[in-house]
Amino acid sequence: MTSQTPPQRITKSYVDRLSTPATGQAFVRDTELKGFAVRVTSSGAKSFILEKRIDGKVKRLTLGRYPELTVEQARKEAHKLLGHIAVGRNPAAEKKQEALQGTTLKKAFDDFVKTRKNLKERTLYDYRRLMNVVFTDWQDKAMTSISKDMVSKRHNKIGSERGEAYANLAMRFLRALFNFAIAQYEYGNGHSILRENPVMRLTQTRAWYRVDRRQTVIKPHQLTPWYQAVISLKQDPISSQSALVADYLLFLLFTGLRRQEAATLKWSDIDLDDRSFTLKDTKNREPLTLPLTDFVFNLLQSRKAVENSEYVFAGEGKAGYLIEPRRQVQKIIQLSDVSFTLHDLRRTFITIAESIDISAYALKRLVNHKMTNDVTAGYIVSDVERLRKPMEQISIQLLRYCKVDEEKKILQFPIPRHT
């Protein structure tokens, strides 16, 4: 609700005496300077405004709050703006333009996250980490002030300190953020506040690091010591998470899943009666149902007997599921003398499958790779039962290399009794 008070000559003593409206806001207009007024809200806040017709519409410009801005300062500011308007300038548009030009990297990132509602949790985690680790000193910088030279120097700095692949990753993220800003922040005439994306300097000068795609796998002769080290992790008395991490690593190897797909798997996604499980949130956003081999079925049964979380591989953090078990992975590397990453387990699964001549179509379906350019693949329907045999064949071959008792198919791990 807005109330109007008869015009008065606005002075400091008058503003000090102004009473607070019960609701809404009240305006007192100045008798000397047309358009100049003071506004009082129900919270008691007082501010100076200027009302003037600009481009055919009455605009209300806020000059500042009282007492931070004195009456005389506000009156001078009102005079100055009236002069600008008289020569055809639009102070409101200029103020908006100035605010847009000051859009910081952090502001752009926050808006980017709000707009891109379908970002996966892991992707969002990686982006936030880049903002807080790599671009922490740029967060409060205006995007218009981040130059091509700054980008080049930062790319080189990250490459020397954190590795070339990480430097490329960071700059691909920054490029995406600038592309978003170019489309998101425009002046009233439709022109972007940014003339171009400064990260394009890396492309124009061919400065991107050449990083070959990782091709590392656990070789067949390395699987036995690796497997033994993983099993020994189950006996680790230091951490209660160690046995869970061991099962997680085995699950990755024997299913070929991506680490995030396995980590976020819930018990509600698993059908032990049907011996199958469903991935609802995959990288290509297509749900996939896969069979459980004997080995994985037994592993999950043992895990279910000792777990009470909704997640199969529960974590101790806020997410609820397992996040980056670096300490346990490092311990396995030390015990087995086999260096590996979590994604190496997926590559190992695929390599073993190819070595025993699993159908290319079956393998692509098992690891959820798209076959968009293959016309024949479009006519093939691979349901869970048709995938059961190739999945079991891969499992058997892995067990041979791991030298697990082939009759039992899985070591019978002791299940702790609840007291």
Side-chain angles (χ1 to χ4, degrees):
M1 180 179 176
T2 301
S3 61
Q4 303 289 339
T5 301
Q8 301 283 339
R9 184 178 185 279
I10 296 176
T11 63
K12 179 181 184 305
S13 59
Y14 180 78
V15 174
D16 287 337
R17 294 195 308 270
L18 274 175
S19 58
T20 300
T23 59
Q25 54 188 358
F27 289 88
V28 180
R29 288 169 173 78
D30 189 53
T31 54
E32 293 185 356
L33 184 60
K34 186 177 180 181
F36 181 52
V38 62
R39 174 175 55 198
V40 187
T41 66
S42 58
S43 64
K46 300 173 183 178
S47 57
F48 300 105
I49 65 166
L50 176 67
E51 292 176 325
K52 186 66 177 177
R53 185 175 293 276
I54 304 173
D55 296 334
K57 294 182 180 179
V58 175
K59 299 289 185 180
R60 180 178 294 163
L61 309 176
T62 300
L63 305 175
R65 296 187 64 172
Y66 179 81
E68 288 85 356
L69 192 69
T70 67
V71 173
E72 288 309 309
Q73 289 172 333
R75 194 180 292 277
K76 287 180 181 179
E77 181 66 17
H79 271 293
K80 184 176 74 172
L81 291 180
L82 286 170
H84 291 170
I85 296 169
V87 295
R89 290 171 59 180
N90 186 333
E94 290 175 2
K95 185 176 181 180
K96 182 179 179 181
Q97 181 170 315
E98 184 179 341
L100 280 172
Q101 287 180 325
T103 300
T104 64
L105 191 69
K106 184 179 185 307
K107 165 66 173 168
F109 177 68
D110 290 342
D111 290 345
F112 175 80
V113 171
K114 290 177 185 176
T115 304
R116 297 282 299 277
K117 299 180 181 64
N118 60 344
L119 284 176
K120 288 184 175 292
E121 191 170 341
R122 177 66 202 192
T123 302
L124 190 54
Y125 170 85
D126 290 339
Y127 285 170
R128 283 179 172 149
R129 183 166 177 79
L130 286 169
M131 283 292 291
N132 294 328
V133 174
V134 178
F135 301 115
T136 183
D137 58 329
W138 283 10
Q139 291 201 36
D140 294 328
K141 287 184 179 296
M143 297 195 76
T144 53
S145 71
I146 299 175
S147 67
K148 294 178 181 179
D149 285 341
M150 290 170 63
V151 168
S152 295
K153 289 177 182 178
R154 182 55 57 95
H155 184 233
N156 290 334
K157 184 174 186 289
I158 301 169
S160 62
E161 294 179 356
R162 294 181 171 272
E164 295 178 351
Y166 194 73
N168 283 354
L169 172 69
M171 287 304 157
R172 284 196 298 270
F173 160 71
L174 187 65
R175 180 176 61 189
L177 205 53
F178 267 94
N179 283 338
F180 168 80
I182 288 171
Q184 181 75 8
Y185 307 118
E186 296 179 344
Y187 299 129
N189 59 10
H191 294 161
S192 174
I193 67 169
L194 296 163
R195 294 180 59 187
E196 58 183 335
N197 191 326
V199 185
M200 289 305 295
R201 164 70 66 84
L202 302 180
T203 301
Q204 294 162 351
T205 60
R206 298 186 179 181
W208 292 98
Y209 291 113
R210 179 184 174 87
V211 180
D212 294 329
R213 186 173 180 178
R214 286 182 64 102
Q215 297 294 329
T216 52
V217 298
I218 301 178
K219 297 177 181 178
H221 73 275
Q222 295 176 315
L223 280 170
T224 297
W226 180 87
Y227 179 81
Q228 290 171 348
V230 172
I231 296 305
S232 72
L233 202 63
K234 287 178 171 288
Q235 314 305 323
D236 182 5
I238 299 176
S239 172
S240 60
Q241 281 285 93
S242 293
L244 180 140
V245 172
D247 282 345
Y248 173 66
L249 297 176
L250 291 172
F251 189 80
L252 286 176
L253 177 64
F254 279 82
T255 60
L257 293 189
R258 298 177 177 89
R259 59 184 182 181
Q260 188 74 357
E261 292 172 344
T264 56
L265 195 66
K266 297 181 179 180
W267 288 111
S268 58
D269 300 324
I270 296 174
D271 188 340
L272 290 176
D273 293 330
D274 186 53
R275 292 201 173 209
S276 66
F277 66 100
T278 300
L279 301 174
K280 297 175 180 176
D281 187 19
T282 63
K283 184 177 180 179
N284 62 24
R285 304 193 181 279
E286 293 181 359
L288 175 67
T289 299
L290 294 172
L292 294 174
T293 62
D294 291 346
F295 180 89
V296 176
F297 175 79
N298 290 336
L299 183 149
L300 290 176
Q301 277 197 318
S302 298
R303 171 95 341 244
K304 191 171 180 61
V306 296
E307 280 296 331
N308 57 6
S309 168
E310 65 173 323
Y311 290 101
V312 177
F313 302 105
E316 297 175 337
K318 184 171 64 174
Y321 54 81
L322 189 64
I323 302 286
E324 294 294 331
R326 292 189 181 92
R327 187 180 68 81
Q328 291 89 347
V329 167
Q330 191 57 41
K331 183 168 184 178
I332 291 171
I333 292 173
Q334 292 172 350
L335 288 171
S336 65
D337 200 27
V338 177
S339 181
F340 74 100
T341 67
L342 296 185
H343 202 70
D344 287 344
L345 302 179
R346 177 175 171 83
R347 279 190 286 266
T348 300
F349 175 90
I350 295 172
T351 302
I352 296 296
E354 289 178 332
S355 73
I356 59 175
D357 296 327
I358 296 297
S359 160
Y361 297 117
L363 181 54
K364 281 181 177 288
R365 191 60 178 159
L366 286 173
V367 296
N368 209 20
H369 280 169
K370 283 191 173 183
M371 298 179 282
T372 52
N373 296 325
D374 192 321
V375 177
T376 306
Y379 292 92
I380 296 176
V381 178
S382 299
D383 61 21
V384 66
E385 293 307 320
R386 293 189 64 177
L387 296 175
R388 200 174 293 280
K389 182 179 178 180
M391 190 69 141
E392 195 66 52
Q393 288 175 321
I394 300 169
S395 180
I396 290 171
Q397 188 67 16
L398 283 168
L399 291 169
R400 287 172 181 161
Y401 286 133
C402 292
K403 294 185 179 178
V404 180
D405 184 346
E406 289 188 23
E407 290 183 3
K408 295 182 180 179
K409 297 292 194 310
I410 184 171
L411 294 178
Q412 298 299 312
F413 308 127
I415 300 174
R417 295 181 179 177
H418 297 286
T419 56

